[in-house]
Amino acid sequence: TKDEAKLASNFGKIEVVCKNEGSLIENLSEVLREAENLVFFENFELIISLPVLENFYLNIAQHKALKIILSKITEAYNLPQKQIFVISNLNFSHSDPNSQVIAATQQTASSVFGGTDAVLMQDIPFDAEKYPESFASRITRNIQNVLWNESFLYRVNDPAKGSYFIDDLCEKMINEVWTLFIKDK
């Protein structure tokens, strides 16, 4: 609501959360529409929270597509580039903690490849009877350390650039989301 938006603006940035169910294209279009209203009409600073998809390539494409379309919208309003942060929320669908570690590493990497600004992840729930209390936090933190210190993802501006498959998937997603975004105006 407008009252909630005004209250939230006192605390800094407003978070717009993309749904995790339904059509990805419709969800992205809806998030963009809400972002457009809040940023360009209400002049709020914004954080867009995307659910991390288990499909490595779709996850990269959704992040890249969102950022590209946001820059198109900014260009259409003939305004200077607005700072809109995109964060990724990891949710675990596996019950086994070891499988969750592997999935979380892959999902974090794909979010970074797509250009996310931050990745939010809860501690992976290891059995408290078998492992010390700090083990879950350490393993979860080590995912970031492996990607940072061993993969050097922070040194590359666009790790997915030049991949025909990802570029094609991203372009198709941009066209579909943009078409729906414009159609619903």
Side-chain angles (χ1 to χ4, degrees):
T1 67
K2 290 213 180 248
D3 292 334
E4 290 171 329
K6 287 182 186 199
L7 181 63
S9 69
N10 294 333
F11 297 111
K13 297 178 182 358
I14 294 178
E15 181 178 10
V16 175
V17 180
C18 185
K19 294 179 193 172
N20 202 10
E21 66 277 339
S23 163
L24 175 62
I25 301 301
E26 290 172 359
N27 292 343
L28 288 175
S29 178
E30 188 176 311
V31 163
L32 287 164
R33 199 169 305 103
E34 192 172 343
E36 177 190 32
N37 288 333
L38 289 170
V39 172
F40 298 105
F41 298 125
E42 302 290 335
N43 206 26
F44 289 114
E45 292 186 39
L46 199 64
I47 296 173
I48 297 176
S49 179
L50 291 177
V52 176
L53 306 173
E54 288 193 8
N55 183 312
F56 186 81
Y57 303 108
L58 271 179
N59 198 44
I60 294 171
Q62 84 165 343
H63 283 80
K64 287 182 80 157
L66 184 72
K67 287 204 164 199
I68 290 168
I69 294 173
L70 282 170
S71 68
K72 276 186 176 183
I73 294 170
T74 302
E75 188 179 300
Y77 281 102
N78 201 17
L79 294 170
Q81 189 71 24
K82 296 280 189 166
Q83 184 67 33
I84 299 173
F85 294 96
V86 178
I87 61 172
S88 304
N89 279 314
L90 257 64
N91 295 310
F92 304 116
S93 61
H94 305 284
S95 59
D96 176 43
N98 295 313
S99 296
Q100 289 180 5
V101 170
I102 294 167
T105 304
Q106 174 265 324
Q107 291 171 343
T108 301
S110 66
S111 296
V112 172
F113 288 175
T116 192
D117 294 306
V119 177
L120 304 178
M121 180 185 342
Q122 63 199 18
D123 282 348
I124 296 170
F126 282 90
D127 187 358
E129 293 178 12
K130 294 182 184 176
Y131 301 99
E133 190 176 315
S134 63
F135 184 75
S137 296
R138 192 183 99 225
I139 293 298
T140 305
R141 188 176 50 255
N142 282 347
I143 291 170
Q144 173 187 327
N145 291 339
V146 165
L147 294 173
W148 183 267
N149 296 320
E150 294 183 23
S151 300
F152 301 106
L153 291 180
Y154 67 95
R155 290 188 179 177
V156 182
N157 287 338
D158 188 357
K161 189 171 184 120
S163 166
Y164 172 78
F165 177 74
I166 293 173
D167 288 346
D168 185 55
L169 181 62
C170 187
E171 191 64 35
K172 288 177 182 172
M173 188 176 288
I174 288 169
N175 291 336
E176 288 181 39
V177 171
W178 187 253
T179 301
L180 187 60
F181 179 78
I182 295 299
K183 176 183 162 191
D184 290 341
K185 284 254 166 222

